[in-house]
Amino acid sequence: MPGVTTKTQRTGDRSRKRGRLLLGACAGTVTVVACAAAGELVAALVGTASPVVAVGDAVVDRTPQALAELAIALFGTADKIVLLSGIVIVLLVVGGVLGVVALRRPLWAYAGLGVFAAAGVAAVFIGRGGDTRTVIPVLAAAAVGALCLALLLRAVPDETAPAGVGTVSGPGRRRFVFTALGVAAAAGTAGVLSRVISGFGAGASSRAAFVLPEPASPLPPLPKGTDLKVPGLTPFTTPNRDFYRIDTALTVPRPDAARWRLRVHGLVDRPFEIDMAELLDLPLQEADITLACVSNQVGGDLIGNARWLGHPLADLLRRAGVHADADQILATSHDGWTCGTPTEVVMDGRDALLAVGMNGEPLPHEHGFPARTVVPGLYGFVSATKWITDIRLTRFADDRAYWAERGWAVEAPIHTMSRVDVPAPLSRVPAGEVVLAGVAWAQHRGVDAVEVRVDDGSWVPAELARVPGIDTWVQWVTEVTVGPGRHDVEVRATDATGRVQTAERAEPIPSGATGRHRIAFTAT
Ligand SMILES: Nc1nc2c(c(=O)[nH]1)N[C@H]1C(S)=C(S)[C@@H](COP(=O)(O)O)O[C@H]1N2
Ligand SMILES: [Mo]
């Protein structure tokens, strides 16, 4: 029947077309995977951030405050993984679309890759860190992408080629599958290789080789009775591996201690630079300090306590000769995050440290190796710069740090707070004598009293554990007798200035959550 297309022919055409589209999409996604792997590998070799992370950083820094908070509320400390997975999914989908487009209009697809590369380059330049060498992995990724796409497109069987009924099959398809598998395998190898290279990078090995000096003024061991060892109660000392981690870094920065330098400059008489050998030669002291995040909700666990080892920040500032009008210490990290601390607070005699040790170990990479600041009494975002490289004395009137620019407070002392750990919220315990226990904190003021009440009854004082000083949290414990049924426990602390923890609820933004922690449990 000349000139007439039969129904079977049409279905055959249609599904052959579908098969080709599938191969196109496949070519596109495999290309993107190869791009990403090449980017990772070259980044590891050059020692810069990978293109995916550079884009992620740019997204993090430009994310509107409300969205960022929603992400933290939804995903907590997993927000980084969620963001990176999101970027990868978007890349894969866009890759698939590019691959389909490439079947008809290869030039458009290559232009698409060009747009990717341009976005990557733009991300490098608008990102913080400002390490422009990151364009190298971006461009390498784009080049590898173009190559792979060309390779894969050539392997897609021709539309006019004879094929089995209904599908793009036979030797043509086999060739495509082999090519795609080859490219994917190469990408996988590159990805693994990049992990290995960055795992054995200078920063990682420099921490393994890092030897903490003995403190010039060691602290006595913690007084007996700082840890009540009540089952379920947060330990007084937070082990490093359990310490909460909060930062804007999508991948943990691993600066090399041997190449580390700290510059102290700005409104000072004698700017100077110090390297790690010099820092470790200075007298180091120990301090027990409880660090808290401003994002911690009432009852939350973004708080931890450690014994830190470091050199007093005040001594470094005195060496530089700080001008009288320099009311802000603006610290910058290896990855370009900034933090503004009141000069006055650091100079008032408290144990503000440039720390190198945490609980007897070099700082873990996640917690700022090789050096970070810790300042008792202030939330981490205005005091605790990890991976610190730069301290500039300036004025609050002239410069704003990272979070202050995004709507958070400029000055942020830690609120007096308390938390119920035992019984666990919504747990079941036998009726009768019930142990209540938790922690309370009012760093650099100290906690004078903790009171609890059950079912909105009268406040009863809890027993306080011992503490090494006023800069840490304190454990509290008490016992109550309750009958069967559901009960509420509420807690409040009084700091050493005599102020009782407020009941007034406030959100973490801009200067920390307030309100009282209240939990419910069931006695049976
Ligand atoms: N370089 C860098 N340092 C940083 C941050 C950051 O994003 N980047 N976040 C700060 C915040 S908000 C807090 S609460 C503390 C948390 O320190 P940790 O992760 O060691 O617990 O680090 C601070 N130091
Ligand atoms: Mo924080």
Coordinates of all heavy atoms in Angstrom, one line a residue, residues 244 246 292-295 379-381 403, ligand 2:
Y244 N 28.0 18.6 68.7 CA 27.2 19.1 67.6 C 28.1 19.9 66.6 O 29.1 20.4 67.0 CB 26.1 20.0 68.1 CG 26.5 21.4 68.5 CD1 26.4 22.5 67.5 CD2 27.0 21.7 69.7 CE1 26.8 23.8 67.8 CE2 27.4 23.0 70.0 CZ 27.3 24.0 69.1 OH 27.7 25.3 69.4
I246 N 27.9 22.8 63.6 CA 27.2 23.7 62.8 C 28.1 24.6 62.1 O 29.0 25.2 62.7 CB 26.3 24.6 63.8 CG1 25.1 23.8 64.4 CG2 25.7 25.8 63.0 CD1 24.0 23.5 63.4
A292 N 27.5 26.9 72.6 CA 26.1 26.8 72.3 C 25.8 27.5 71.0 O 26.4 28.5 70.7 CB 25.2 27.3 73.4
C293 N 24.9 26.9 70.2 CA 24.5 27.5 68.9 C 23.2 28.4 69.1 O 22.3 28.0 69.8 CB 24.2 26.5 67.9 SG 23.8 27.2 66.3
V294 N 23.2 29.5 68.5 CA 22.1 30.4 68.6 C 20.8 29.8 68.0 O 19.7 30.2 68.4 CB 22.4 31.8 67.9 CG1 22.5 31.6 66.4 CG2 21.4 32.9 68.3
S295 N 21.0 28.8 67.1 CA 19.8 28.2 66.5 C 19.2 27.1 67.4 O 18.2 26.5 67.0 CB 20.3 27.5 65.2 OG 20.7 28.5 64.3
Y379 N 27.2 33.1 71.9 CA 26.8 32.1 71.0 C 27.9 31.9 69.9 O 28.6 32.8 69.6 CB 25.5 32.4 70.3 CG 24.3 32.2 71.2 CD1 23.5 33.3 71.6 CD2 23.9 31.0 71.7 CE1 22.4 33.1 72.4 CE2 22.9 30.8 72.5 CZ 22.1 31.9 72.9 OH 21.0 31.7 73.7
G380 N 28.0 30.7 69.4 CA 29.1 30.3 68.5 C 29.2 31.2 67.2 O 30.3 31.5 66.8
F381 N 28.1 31.7 66.7 CA 28.2 32.5 65.5 C 28.8 33.9 65.7 O 29.2 34.5 64.7 CB 26.8 32.6 64.8 CG 25.9 33.7 65.4 CD1 25.6 34.9 64.7 CD2 25.4 33.6 66.7 CE1 24.7 35.8 65.2 CE2 24.6 34.6 67.3 CZ 24.3 35.7 66.5
W403 N 26.6 36.3 59.6 CA 25.2 36.1 60.0 C 24.5 37.5 60.4 O 23.3 37.6 60.2 CB 25.1 35.1 61.2 CG 25.2 33.7 60.8 CD1 26.3 32.9 61.1 CD2 24.4 33.0 59.8 NE1 26.1 31.7 60.5 CE2 25.0 31.7 59.7 CE3 23.3 33.3 59.1 CZ2 24.5 30.7 58.8 CZ3 22.7 32.3 58.3 CH2 23.3 31.1 58.2
Ligands
MO2 MO 25.5 28.6 65.6

